[in-house]
Amino acid sequence: MRTLAAVRGFPPAVRLLLVNQLGVNIGFYLLIPYLATHLTDDLGLSAAVVGLVLGLRNLSQQGLFLIGGSAADRLGARGVIIAGCGLRTLGFALFALGDALPVLIAASVLSGLAGALFNPAVRTYVAQESGDRKAEAFALFNVFATAGALVGPLLGSLLLFGGFRAAALTAAGVFALLTLAQAIVLPARTVPRPTGSVLADWREVAGNRRFVAFALAMVGMYGMESQLYLLFPHAARQATGWAGTVGLIFVVGTLANFLLQLRITRRLAARAGGRGRWIAAGLTVSGLGFVPPMLTAGAAGKHPILLLPVLAGALLLYVGLMTAQPFVMELIPAFGRAELTGTFYGLFYGVSGVAAAGTGAGVGWAMDTATHGGPTWLPYACCTALGLASAAAVTLLHRRRALPRPPATAAAGAATDPPVPEDQEEHAKTTSATPDPRPLNETR
């Protein structure tokens, strides 16, 4: 009930985008987890061709995030969101209606391009519309996204009884409805006339050393999050010998998000200490989430009791992500001009996508090594090390005052003031004769 009350406190546009993210994840996970099986078992394509089709989707999404972000800045986030959802409707419909390789490739590229467009655009719109409640808005965004990631595969598994095409057409229908709702409900905003070229915008964002350092420091967060779809399902199957236990991981995550996400974000946002400290703490907790399954990875035999460390580790990973992610999303626009919010999100997600792919390859190698007689703890230890290294990097940036102050407090200053490192802000508060007693997440 507290979550629903918080949702009602935001403007209609933000409420729609929260529901939109639920629908996006339902539609996406309704289809994509079963795509590889369809291509191999139903269409008889070789592993190389399947890898090409899936790889093109990832490449077209991760490689074009920056373009999607720039489009949101220059054309307006609303139009880019609608275009992205429309393209994904077309892409998923092509998966349902075409079996020829050129059609499959077109469907894969279109669905990837759609994600490259609406992912940074949606976050840009949420950041612009939520005012000084950005962290809380992105906390709710996580709740709805996680719920969609649970409902989607469950719905997809039911629809597959009617065949892959039924699932693909349903997914396309979900995105078609979202596109229509966005066109009706999302208000258009006047977009300031750009003062320079797109390349100049990219150079400005890529030349922001503090932002680039932060984006690189955060690679661990998305690298660890990607293991919810690789290492943790592997650990669950290894512990019990039953593939159905994988779903329990996402049940744990969804329940944790509903019960804890908003509480964690609100309490930490109202406490002193700076966003960098909470982000680093979240990364540390996420990294430690790989320790419980690591301790039982080499256990002989299969037994349901061995699933408990896996679920405990997944819970720690989710809690760490719930701690860090809202504040990460809140800080990204504060690194530079508000007119480049989409470009900042686009570059950040491009770096994160490459990090997730690289982590997946590295963890996959460690899993293969463990399978062929290597240490069973190796993939888990690699993920723990990644999380702790990212936490250390964010801590270093925090101590060097390289992180901007939270946008919630920046609103009190002049709009033309440059971003102030958060530790300098804390020092100013402690030396001021009339400190502001209001919590950071209070609407002003």
Side-chain angles (χ1 to χ4, degrees), residues 28 31-32 35 53-54 56-58 60-62 84-95 104-119 175:
F28 181 84
L31 177 72
I32 294 300
L35 180 58
V53 173
L54 298 180
L56 285 174
R57 192 199 68 79
N58 289 329
S60 59
Q61 178 164 314
Q62 295 170 7
C85 257
L87 282 177
R88 184 150 286 180
T89 302
L90 178 59
F92 281 12
L94 285 178
F95 276 128
L104 294 173
I105 289 176
S108 188
V109 171
L110 284 174
S111 62
L113 175 60
L117 289 176
F118 65 68
N119 279 347
F175 281 99

PDB file of all heavy atoms in Angstrom, residues 28 31-32 35 53-54 56-58 60-62 84-95 104-119 175:
ATOM      1  N   PHE A  28       8.954  -7.986 -22.958  1.00  0.00           N
ATOM      2  CA  PHE A  28      10.309  -8.417 -23.318  1.00  0.00           C
ATOM      3  C   PHE A  28      10.589  -9.830 -22.824  1.00  0.00           C
ATOM      4  O   PHE A  28      11.012 -10.704 -23.584  1.00  0.00           O
ATOM      5  CB  PHE A  28      11.322  -7.434 -22.736  1.00  0.00           C
ATOM      6  CG  PHE A  28      12.751  -7.761 -23.074  1.00  0.00           C
ATOM      7  CD1 PHE A  28      13.304  -7.348 -24.274  1.00  0.00           C
ATOM      8  CD2 PHE A  28      13.550  -8.480 -22.190  1.00  0.00           C
ATOM      9  CE1 PHE A  28      14.626  -7.643 -24.594  1.00  0.00           C
ATOM     10  CE2 PHE A  28      14.864  -8.780 -22.493  1.00  0.00           C
ATOM     11  CZ  PHE A  28      15.405  -8.363 -23.700  1.00  0.00           C
ATOM     12  N   LEU A  31       9.015 -13.031 -24.305  1.00  0.00           N
ATOM     13  CA  LEU A  31       9.497 -13.565 -25.584  1.00  0.00           C
ATOM     14  C   LEU A  31      10.974 -13.932 -25.587  1.00  0.00           C
ATOM     15  O   LEU A  31      11.352 -15.047 -25.972  1.00  0.00           O
ATOM     16  CB  LEU A  31       9.235 -12.541 -26.688  1.00  0.00           C
ATOM     17  CG  LEU A  31       9.752 -12.905 -28.082  1.00  0.00           C
ATOM     18  CD1 LEU A  31       8.903 -14.016 -28.679  1.00  0.00           C
ATOM     19  CD2 LEU A  31       9.760 -11.687 -28.996  1.00  0.00           C
ATOM     20  N   ILE A  32      11.834 -13.006 -25.166  1.00  0.00           N
ATOM     21  CA  ILE A  32      13.273 -13.155 -25.382  1.00  0.00           C
ATOM     22  C   ILE A  32      13.870 -14.400 -24.728  1.00  0.00           C
ATOM     23  O   ILE A  32      14.712 -15.080 -25.337  1.00  0.00           O
ATOM     24  CB  ILE A  32      14.013 -11.884 -24.916  1.00  0.00           C
ATOM     25  CG1 ILE A  32      13.628 -10.702 -25.816  1.00  0.00           C
ATOM     26  CG2 ILE A  32      15.519 -12.091 -24.947  1.00  0.00           C
ATOM     27  CD1 ILE A  32      13.973 -10.891 -27.283  1.00  0.00           C
ATOM     28  N   LEU A  35      13.473 -17.247 -27.162  1.00  0.00           N
ATOM     29  CA  LEU A  35      13.800 -17.032 -28.567  1.00  0.00           C
ATOM     30  C   LEU A  35      14.849 -18.022 -29.074  1.00  0.00           C
ATOM     31  O   LEU A  35      14.704 -18.583 -30.165  1.00  0.00           O
ATOM     32  CB  LEU A  35      14.278 -15.590 -28.772  1.00  0.00           C
ATOM     33  CG  LEU A  35      14.671 -15.210 -30.199  1.00  0.00           C
ATOM     34  CD1 LEU A  35      13.511 -15.425 -31.165  1.00  0.00           C
ATOM     35  CD2 LEU A  35      15.135 -13.748 -30.243  1.00  0.00           C
ATOM     36  N   VAL A  53      21.867 -13.940 -34.755  1.00  0.00           N
ATOM     37  CA  VAL A  53      20.590 -13.246 -34.567  1.00  0.00           C
ATOM     38  C   VAL A  53      20.540 -12.579 -33.189  1.00  0.00           C
ATOM     39  O   VAL A  53      20.190 -11.392 -33.064  1.00  0.00           O
ATOM     40  CB  VAL A  53      19.415 -14.230 -34.741  1.00  0.00           C
ATOM     41  CG1 VAL A  53      18.092 -13.558 -34.368  1.00  0.00           C
ATOM     42  CG2 VAL A  53      19.365 -14.745 -36.179  1.00  0.00           C
ATOM     43  N   LEU A  54      20.906 -13.317 -32.155  1.00  0.00           N
ATOM     44  CA  LEU A  54      20.870 -12.762 -30.804  1.00  0.00           C
ATOM     45  C   LEU A  54      21.937 -11.682 -30.620  1.00  0.00           C
ATOM     46  O   LEU A  54      21.706 -10.670 -29.954  1.00  0.00           O
ATOM     47  CB  LEU A  54      21.067 -13.870 -29.774  1.00  0.00           C
ATOM     48  CG  LEU A  54      20.003 -14.979 -29.754  1.00  0.00           C
ATOM     49  CD1 LEU A  54      20.325 -16.007 -28.680  1.00  0.00           C
ATOM     50  CD2 LEU A  54      18.617 -14.391 -29.540  1.00  0.00           C
ATOM     51  N   LEU A  56      23.142  -9.659 -32.888  1.00  0.00           N
ATOM     52  CA  LEU A  56      22.741  -8.428 -33.565  1.00  0.00           C
ATOM     53  C   LEU A  56      21.768  -7.623 -32.724  1.00  0.00           C
ATOM     54  O   LEU A  56      21.794  -6.381 -32.736  1.00  0.00           O
ATOM     55  CB  LEU A  56      22.122  -8.755 -34.926  1.00  0.00           C
ATOM     56  CG  LEU A  56      23.110  -9.175 -36.025  1.00  0.00           C
ATOM     57  CD1 LEU A  56      22.360  -9.622 -37.271  1.00  0.00           C
ATOM     58  CD2 LEU A  56      24.069  -8.042 -36.361  1.00  0.00           C
ATOM     59  N   ARG A  57      20.901  -8.311 -31.991  1.00  0.00           N
ATOM     60  CA  ARG A  57      19.981  -7.585 -31.113  1.00  0.00           C
ATOM     61  C   ARG A  57      20.747  -6.843 -30.027  1.00  0.00           C
ATOM     62  O   ARG A  57      20.504  -5.656 -29.765  1.00  0.00           O
ATOM     63  CB  ARG A  57      18.970  -8.544 -30.484  1.00  0.00           C
ATOM     64  CG  ARG A  57      17.807  -7.834 -29.786  1.00  0.00           C
ATOM     65  CD  ARG A  57      17.102  -8.737 -28.801  1.00  0.00           C
ATOM     66  NE  ARG A  57      17.948  -9.042 -27.662  1.00  0.00           N
ATOM     67  CZ  ARG A  57      18.135  -8.207 -26.643  1.00  0.00           C
ATOM     68  NH1 ARG A  57      17.563  -7.019 -26.628  1.00  0.00           N
ATOM     69  NH2 ARG A  57      18.915  -8.543 -25.641  1.00  0.00           N
ATOM     70  N   ASN A  58      21.692  -7.543 -29.387  1.00  0.00           N
ATOM     71  CA  ASN A  58      22.482  -6.902 -28.330  1.00  0.00           C
ATOM     72  C   ASN A  58      23.327  -5.768 -28.887  1.00  0.00           C
ATOM     73  O   ASN A  58      23.434  -4.693 -28.279  1.00  0.00           O
ATOM     74  CB  ASN A  58      23.383  -7.934 -27.649  1.00  0.00           C
ATOM     75  CG  ASN A  58      22.597  -8.906 -26.796  1.00  0.00           C
ATOM     76  OD1 ASN A  58      21.564  -8.569 -26.245  1.00  0.00           O
ATOM     77  ND2 ASN A  58      23.073 -10.143 -26.699  1.00  0.00           N
ATOM     78  N   SER A  60      22.871  -3.935 -31.647  1.00  0.00           N
ATOM     79  CA  SER A  60      22.088  -2.784 -32.089  1.00  0.00           C
ATOM     80  C   SER A  60      21.537  -1.998 -30.908  1.00  0.00           C
ATOM     81  O   SER A  60      21.300  -0.787 -31.017  1.00  0.00           O
ATOM     82  CB  SER A  60      20.932  -3.234 -32.991  1.00  0.00           C
ATOM     83  OG  SER A  60      20.068  -4.129 -32.311  1.00  0.00           O
ATOM     84  N   GLN A  61      21.355  -2.646 -29.771  1.00  0.00           N
ATOM     85  CA  GLN A  61      20.881  -1.922 -28.591  1.00  0.00           C
ATOM     86  C   GLN A  61      22.025  -1.235 -27.866  1.00  0.00           C
ATOM     87  O   GLN A  61      22.009  -0.014 -27.673  1.00  0.00           O
ATOM     88  CB  GLN A  61      20.152  -2.878 -27.644  1.00  0.00           C
ATOM     89  CG  GLN A  61      19.672  -2.214 -26.350  1.00  0.00           C
ATOM     90  CD  GLN A  61      18.640  -3.036 -25.609  1.00  0.00           C
ATOM     91  OE1 GLN A  61      17.697  -3.537 -26.195  1.00  0.00           O
ATOM     92  NE2 GLN A  61      18.821  -3.179 -24.315  1.00  0.00           N
ATOM     93  N   GLN A  62      23.039  -1.987 -27.492  1.00  0.00           N
ATOM     94  CA  GLN A  62      24.128  -1.427 -26.706  1.00  0.00           C
ATOM     95  C   GLN A  62      24.947  -0.418 -27.506  1.00  0.00           C
ATOM     96  O   GLN A  62      25.453   0.558 -26.959  1.00  0.00           O
ATOM     97  CB  GLN A  62      25.018  -2.552 -26.189  1.00  0.00           C
ATOM     98  CG  GLN A  62      24.313  -3.468 -25.207  1.00  0.00           C
ATOM     99  CD  GLN A  62      25.112  -4.722 -24.893  1.00  0.00           C
ATOM    100  OE1 GLN A  62      26.259  -4.854 -25.316  1.00  0.00           O
ATOM    101  NE2 GLN A  62      24.516  -5.653 -24.172  1.00  0.00           N
ATOM    102  N   GLY A  84      10.358   4.249 -29.949  1.00  0.00           N
ATOM    103  CA  GLY A  84      10.999   3.015 -29.491  1.00  0.00           C
ATOM    104  C   GLY A  84      10.004   1.905 -29.261  1.00  0.00           C
ATOM    105  O   GLY A  84      10.217   0.755 -29.670  1.00  0.00           O
ATOM    106  N   CYS A  85       8.890   2.233 -28.606  1.00  0.00           N
ATOM    107  CA  CYS A  85       7.870   1.205 -28.372  1.00  0.00           C
ATOM    108  C   CYS A  85       7.246   0.736 -29.684  1.00  0.00           C
ATOM    109  O   CYS A  85       6.953  -0.453 -29.855  1.00  0.00           O
ATOM    110  CB  CYS A  85       6.779   1.749 -27.448  1.00  0.00           C
ATOM    111  SG  CYS A  85       6.911   1.160 -25.749  1.00  0.00           S
ATOM    112  N   GLY A  86       7.049   1.659 -30.609  1.00  0.00           N
ATOM    113  CA  GLY A  86       6.502   1.268 -31.906  1.00  0.00           C
ATOM    114  C   GLY A  86       7.430   0.337 -32.665  1.00  0.00           C
ATOM    115  O   GLY A  86       6.985  -0.647 -33.279  1.00  0.00           O
ATOM    116  N   LEU A  87       8.724   0.622 -32.621  1.00  0.00           N
ATOM    117  CA  LEU A  87       9.698  -0.245 -33.293  1.00  0.00           C
ATOM    118  C   LEU A  87       9.736  -1.633 -32.665  1.00  0.00           C
ATOM    119  O   LEU A  87       9.877  -2.635 -33.372  1.00  0.00           O
ATOM    120  CB  LEU A  87      11.088   0.390 -33.247  1.00  0.00           C
ATOM    121  CG  LEU A  87      11.354   1.525 -34.236  1.00  0.00           C
ATOM    122  CD1 LEU A  87      12.750   2.105 -34.009  1.00  0.00           C
ATOM    123  CD2 LEU A  87      11.221   1.022 -35.667  1.00  0.00           C
ATOM    124  N   ARG A  88       9.624  -1.695 -31.343  1.00  0.00           N
ATOM    125  CA  ARG A  88       9.636  -3.020 -30.720  1.00  0.00           C
ATOM    126  C   ARG A  88       8.366  -3.790 -31.060  1.00  0.00           C
ATOM    127  O   ARG A  88       8.406  -5.017 -31.203  1.00  0.00           O
ATOM    128  CB  ARG A  88       9.815  -2.917 -29.207  1.00  0.00           C
ATOM    129  CG  ARG A  88       9.918  -4.269 -28.551  1.00  0.00           C
ATOM    130  CD  ARG A  88      10.753  -4.262 -27.300  1.00  0.00           C
ATOM    131  NE  ARG A  88      12.172  -4.166 -27.555  1.00  0.00           N
ATOM    132  CZ  ARG A  88      13.099  -4.141 -26.593  1.00  0.00           C
ATOM    133  NH1 ARG A  88      12.719  -4.189 -25.326  1.00  0.00           N
ATOM    134  NH2 ARG A  88      14.374  -4.054 -26.882  1.00  0.00           N
ATOM    135  N   THR A  89       7.251  -3.109 -31.194  1.00  0.00           N
ATOM    136  CA  THR A  89       6.031  -3.774 -31.662  1.00  0.00           C
ATOM    137  C   THR A  89       6.274  -4.426 -33.021  1.00  0.00           C
ATOM    138  O   THR A  89       5.935  -5.603 -33.239  1.00  0.00           O
ATOM    139  CB  THR A  89       4.882  -2.763 -31.794  1.00  0.00           C
ATOM    140  OG1 THR A  89       4.655  -2.137 -30.525  1.00  0.00           O
ATOM    141  CG2 THR A  89       3.609  -3.445 -32.259  1.00  0.00           C
ATOM    142  N   LEU A  90       6.886  -3.681 -33.924  1.00  0.00           N
ATOM    143  CA  LEU A  90       7.173  -4.203 -35.259  1.00  0.00           C
ATOM    144  C   LEU A  90       8.171  -5.351 -35.208  1.00  0.00           C
ATOM    145  O   LEU A  90       7.991  -6.380 -35.865  1.00  0.00           O
ATOM    146  CB  LEU A  90       7.699  -3.070 -36.143  1.00  0.00           C
ATOM    147  CG  LEU A  90       8.095  -3.444 -37.574  1.00  0.00           C
ATOM    148  CD1 LEU A  90       6.907  -4.043 -38.325  1.00  0.00           C
ATOM    149  CD2 LEU A  90       8.633  -2.216 -38.309  1.00  0.00           C
ATOM    150  N   GLY A  91       9.217  -5.188 -34.412  1.00  0.00           N
ATOM    151  CA  GLY A  91      10.242  -6.230 -34.325  1.00  0.00           C
ATOM    152  C   GLY A  91       9.695  -7.541 -33.796  1.00  0.00           C
ATOM    153  O   GLY A  91       9.966  -8.617 -34.351  1.00  0.00           O
ATOM    154  N   PHE A  92       8.901  -7.473 -32.720  1.00  0.00           N
ATOM    155  CA  PHE A  92       8.353  -8.708 -32.151  1.00  0.00           C
ATOM    156  C   PHE A  92       7.312  -9.331 -33.073  1.00  0.00           C
ATOM    157  O   PHE A  92       7.166 -10.551 -33.128  1.00  0.00           O
ATOM    158  CB  PHE A  92       7.765  -8.426 -30.774  1.00  0.00           C
ATOM    159  CG  PHE A  92       8.806  -8.338 -29.683  1.00  0.00           C
ATOM    160  CD1 PHE A  92      10.150  -8.263 -29.989  1.00  0.00           C
ATOM    161  CD2 PHE A  92       8.446  -8.332 -28.353  1.00  0.00           C
ATOM    162  CE1 PHE A  92      11.118  -8.181 -28.988  1.00  0.00           C
ATOM    163  CE2 PHE A  92       9.392  -8.258 -27.338  1.00  0.00           C
ATOM    164  CZ  PHE A  92      10.740  -8.176 -27.665  1.00  0.00           C
ATOM    165  N   ALA A  93       6.573  -8.497 -33.805  1.00  0.00           N
ATOM    166  CA  ALA A  93       5.615  -9.037 -34.774  1.00  0.00           C
ATOM    167  C   ALA A  93       6.347  -9.781 -35.890  1.00  0.00           C
ATOM    168  O   ALA A  93       5.874 -10.829 -36.364  1.00  0.00           O
ATOM    169  CB  ALA A  93       4.764  -7.916 -35.350  1.00  0.00           C
ATOM    170  N   LEU A  94       7.503  -9.281 -36.302  1.00  0.00           N
ATOM    171  CA  LEU A  94       8.293  -9.966 -37.333  1.00  0.00           C
ATOM    172  C   LEU A  94       8.782 -11.321 -36.838  1.00  0.00           C
ATOM    173  O   LEU A  94       8.844 -12.284 -37.603  1.00  0.00           O
ATOM    174  CB  LEU A  94       9.472  -9.096 -37.756  1.00  0.00           C
ATOM    175  CG  LEU A  94       9.155  -7.900 -38.664  1.00  0.00           C
ATOM    176  CD1 LEU A  94      10.423  -7.107 -38.948  1.00  0.00           C
ATOM    177  CD2 LEU A  94       8.517  -8.365 -39.959  1.00  0.00           C
ATOM    178  N   PHE A  95       9.144 -11.414 -35.562  1.00  0.00           N
ATOM    179  CA  PHE A  95       9.532 -12.715 -35.005  1.00  0.00           C
ATOM    180  C   PHE A  95       8.383 -13.710 -35.123  1.00  0.00           C
ATOM    181  O   PHE A  95       8.611 -14.910 -35.314  1.00  0.00           O
ATOM    182  CB  PHE A  95       9.937 -12.577 -33.538  1.00  0.00           C
ATOM    183  CG  PHE A  95      11.365 -12.150 -33.325  1.00  0.00           C
ATOM    184  CD1 PHE A  95      11.667 -11.072 -32.515  1.00  0.00           C
ATOM    185  CD2 PHE A  95      12.410 -12.843 -33.932  1.00  0.00           C
ATOM    186  CE1 PHE A  95      12.983 -10.678 -32.310  1.00  0.00           C
ATOM    187  CE2 PHE A  95      13.722 -12.461 -33.730  1.00  0.00           C
ATOM    188  CZ  PHE A  95      14.017 -11.368 -32.922  1.00  0.00           C
ATOM    189  N   LEU A 104      14.284 -12.580 -39.681  1.00  0.00           N
ATOM    190  CA  LEU A 104      14.726 -12.729 -38.293  1.00  0.00           C
ATOM    191  C   LEU A 104      15.785 -11.690 -37.931  1.00  0.00           C
ATOM    192  O   LEU A 104      15.778 -11.132 -36.830  1.00  0.00           O
ATOM    193  CB  LEU A 104      15.263 -14.136 -38.063  1.00  0.00           C
ATOM    194  CG  LEU A 104      14.245 -15.280 -38.173  1.00  0.00           C
ATOM    195  CD1 LEU A 104      14.949 -16.626 -38.087  1.00  0.00           C
ATOM    196  CD2 LEU A 104      13.178 -15.163 -37.090  1.00  0.00           C
ATOM    197  N   ILE A 105      16.695 -11.442 -38.868  1.00  0.00           N
ATOM    198  CA  ILE A 105      17.730 -10.438 -38.621  1.00  0.00           C
ATOM    199  C   ILE A 105      17.098  -9.054 -38.498  1.00  0.00           C
ATOM    200  O   ILE A 105      17.450  -8.263 -37.611  1.00  0.00           O
ATOM    201  CB  ILE A 105      18.789 -10.467 -39.741  1.00  0.00           C
ATOM    202  CG1 ILE A 105      19.624 -11.745 -39.626  1.00  0.00           C
ATOM    203  CG2 ILE A 105      19.682  -9.236 -39.677  1.00  0.00           C
ATOM    204  CD1 ILE A 105      20.642 -11.917 -40.731  1.00  0.00           C
ATOM    205  N   ALA A 106      16.148  -8.736 -39.377  1.00  0.00           N
ATOM    206  CA  ALA A 106      15.464  -7.447 -39.297  1.00  0.00           C
ATOM    207  C   ALA A 106      14.715  -7.303 -37.972  1.00  0.00           C
ATOM    208  O   ALA A 106      14.748  -6.247 -37.332  1.00  0.00           O
ATOM    209  CB  ALA A 106      14.493  -7.300 -40.475  1.00  0.00           C
ATOM    210  N   ALA A 107      14.056  -8.375 -37.546  1.00  0.00           N
ATOM    211  CA  ALA A 107      13.334  -8.345 -36.276  1.00  0.00           C
ATOM    212  C   ALA A 107      14.290  -8.120 -35.113  1.00  0.00           C
ATOM    213  O   ALA A 107      14.005  -7.343 -34.186  1.00  0.00           O
ATOM    214  CB  ALA A 107      12.569  -9.650 -36.090  1.00  0.00           C
ATOM    215  N   SER A 108      15.435  -8.779 -35.155  1.00  0.00           N
ATOM    216  CA  SER A 108      16.414  -8.655 -34.083  1.00  0.00           C
ATOM    217  C   SER A 108      16.979  -7.240 -34.012  1.00  0.00           C
ATOM    218  O   SER A 108      17.088  -6.642 -32.934  1.00  0.00           O
ATOM    219  CB  SER A 108      17.542  -9.669 -34.290  1.00  0.00           C
ATOM    220  OG  SER A 108      18.407  -9.695 -33.191  1.00  0.00           O
ATOM    221  N   VAL A 109      17.335  -6.680 -35.169  1.00  0.00           N
ATOM    222  CA  VAL A 109      17.894  -5.327 -35.196  1.00  0.00           C
ATOM    223  C   VAL A 109      16.858  -4.299 -34.755  1.00  0.00           C
ATOM    224  O   VAL A 109      17.163  -3.380 -33.982  1.00  0.00           O
ATOM    225  CB  VAL A 109      18.416  -5.003 -36.610  1.00  0.00           C
ATOM    226  CG1 VAL A 109      18.796  -3.527 -36.719  1.00  0.00           C
ATOM    227  CG2 VAL A 109      19.617  -5.881 -36.949  1.00  0.00           C
ATOM    228  N   LEU A 110      15.618  -4.443 -35.227  1.00  0.00           N
ATOM    229  CA  LEU A 110      14.572  -3.496 -34.844  1.00  0.00           C
ATOM    230  C   LEU A 110      14.291  -3.537 -33.343  1.00  0.00           C
ATOM    231  O   LEU A 110      14.108  -2.493 -32.705  1.00  0.00           O
ATOM    232  CB  LEU A 110      13.290  -3.782 -35.623  1.00  0.00           C
ATOM    233  CG  LEU A 110      13.253  -3.347 -37.089  1.00  0.00           C
ATOM    234  CD1 LEU A 110      11.975  -3.824 -37.752  1.00  0.00           C
ATOM    235  CD2 LEU A 110      13.378  -1.835 -37.197  1.00  0.00           C
ATOM    236  N   SER A 111      14.239  -4.738 -32.762  1.00  0.00           N
ATOM    237  CA  SER A 111      13.966  -4.832 -31.324  1.00  0.00           C
ATOM    238  C   SER A 111      15.121  -4.262 -30.510  1.00  0.00           C
ATOM    239  O   SER A 111      14.909  -3.653 -29.461  1.00  0.00           O
ATOM    240  CB  SER A 111      13.682  -6.279 -30.928  1.00  0.00           C
ATOM    241  OG  SER A 111      14.802  -7.101 -31.189  1.00  0.00           O
ATOM    242  N   GLY A 112      16.358  -4.444 -31.002  1.00  0.00           N
ATOM    243  CA  GLY A 112      17.500  -3.851 -30.312  1.00  0.00           C
ATOM    244  C   GLY A 112      17.509  -2.343 -30.427  1.00  0.00           C
ATOM    245  O   GLY A 112      17.766  -1.625 -29.447  1.00  0.00           O
ATOM    246  N   LEU A 113      17.238  -1.819 -31.636  1.00  0.00           N
ATOM    247  CA  LEU A 113      17.170  -0.372 -31.829  1.00  0.00           C
ATOM    248  C   LEU A 113      16.084   0.247 -30.958  1.00  0.00           C
ATOM    249  O   LEU A 113      16.261   1.348 -30.411  1.00  0.00           O
ATOM    250  CB  LEU A 113      16.905  -0.074 -33.304  1.00  0.00           C
ATOM    251  CG  LEU A 113      16.677   1.391 -33.682  1.00  0.00           C
ATOM    252  CD1 LEU A 113      17.887   2.232 -33.334  1.00  0.00           C
ATOM    253  CD2 LEU A 113      16.343   1.513 -35.170  1.00  0.00           C
ATOM    254  N   ALA A 114      14.966  -0.459 -30.807  1.00  0.00           N
ATOM    255  CA  ALA A 114      13.887   0.046 -29.955  1.00  0.00           C
ATOM    256  C   ALA A 114      14.373   0.258 -28.526  1.00  0.00           C
ATOM    257  O   ALA A 114      14.107   1.293 -27.905  1.00  0.00           O
ATOM    258  CB  ALA A 114      12.723  -0.938 -29.975  1.00  0.00           C
ATOM    259  N   GLY A 115      15.102  -0.727 -28.000  1.00  0.00           N
ATOM    260  CA  GLY A 115      15.636  -0.576 -26.651  1.00  0.00           C
ATOM    261  C   GLY A 115      16.625   0.566 -26.543  1.00  0.00           C
ATOM    262  O   GLY A 115      16.660   1.286 -25.534  1.00  0.00           O
ATOM    263  N   ALA A 116      17.445   0.750 -27.586  1.00  0.00           N
ATOM    264  CA  ALA A 116      18.417   1.846 -27.579  1.00  0.00           C
ATOM    265  C   ALA A 116      17.725   3.204 -27.570  1.00  0.00           C
ATOM    266  O   ALA A 116      18.262   4.181 -27.043  1.00  0.00           O
ATOM    267  CB  ALA A 116      19.332   1.734 -28.802  1.00  0.00           C
ATOM    268  N   LEU A 117      16.522   3.268 -28.129  1.00  0.00           N
ATOM    269  CA  LEU A 117      15.785   4.528 -28.150  1.00  0.00           C
ATOM    270  C   LEU A 117      15.064   4.786 -26.834  1.00  0.00           C
ATOM    271  O   LEU A 117      15.257   5.825 -26.193  1.00  0.00           O
ATOM    272  CB  LEU A 117      14.776   4.522 -29.304  1.00  0.00           C
ATOM    273  CG  LEU A 117      15.354   4.625 -30.719  1.00  0.00           C
ATOM    274  CD1 LEU A 117      14.241   4.507 -31.749  1.00  0.00           C
ATOM    275  CD2 LEU A 117      16.113   5.930 -30.904  1.00  0.00           C
ATOM    276  N   PHE A 118      14.207   3.836 -26.397  1.00  0.00           N
ATOM    277  CA  PHE A 118      13.355   4.199 -25.268  1.00  0.00           C
ATOM    278  C   PHE A 118      14.007   4.008 -23.907  1.00  0.00           C
ATOM    279  O   PHE A 118      13.560   4.623 -22.933  1.00  0.00           O
ATOM    280  CB  PHE A 118      11.980   3.524 -25.325  1.00  0.00           C
ATOM    281  CG  PHE A 118      11.939   2.034 -25.200  1.00  0.00           C
ATOM    282  CD1 PHE A 118      12.261   1.392 -24.009  1.00  0.00           C
ATOM    283  CD2 PHE A 118      11.523   1.264 -26.269  1.00  0.00           C
ATOM    284  CE1 PHE A 118      12.182   0.035 -23.894  1.00  0.00           C
ATOM    285  CE2 PHE A 118      11.443  -0.112 -26.161  1.00  0.00           C
ATOM    286  CZ  PHE A 118      11.772  -0.729 -24.983  1.00  0.00           C
ATOM    287  N   ASN A 119      15.076   3.211 -23.785  1.00  0.00           N
ATOM    288  CA  ASN A 119      15.688   3.067 -22.456  1.00  0.00           C
ATOM    289  C   ASN A 119      16.248   4.383 -21.929  1.00  0.00           C
ATOM    290  O   ASN A 119      15.889   4.817 -20.827  1.00  0.00           O
ATOM    291  CB  ASN A 119      16.764   1.981 -22.485  1.00  0.00           C
ATOM    292  CG  ASN A 119      16.178   0.594 -22.373  1.00  0.00           C
ATOM    293  OD1 ASN A 119      15.012   0.420 -22.037  1.00  0.00           O
ATOM    294  ND2 ASN A 119      16.969  -0.421 -22.667  1.00  0.00           N
ATOM    295  N   PHE A 175       3.345  -4.218 -26.496  1.00  0.00           N
ATOM    296  CA  PHE A 175       4.052  -2.998 -26.882  1.00  0.00           C
ATOM    297  C   PHE A 175       3.167  -2.068 -27.706  1.00  0.00           C
ATOM    298  O   PHE A 175       3.304  -0.841 -27.632  1.00  0.00           O
ATOM    299  CB  PHE A 175       5.331  -3.356 -27.644  1.00  0.00           C
ATOM    300  CG  PHE A 175       6.460  -3.767 -26.744  1.00  0.00           C
ATOM    301  CD1 PHE A 175       6.754  -5.104 -26.531  1.00  0.00           C
ATOM    302  CD2 PHE A 175       7.219  -2.810 -26.092  1.00  0.00           C
ATOM    303  CE1 PHE A 175       7.789  -5.477 -25.683  1.00  0.00           C
ATOM    304  CE2 PHE A 175       8.250  -3.167 -25.247  1.00  0.00           C
ATOM    305  CZ  PHE A 175       8.531  -4.502 -25.039  1.00  0.00           C
TER     306      PHE A 175
END
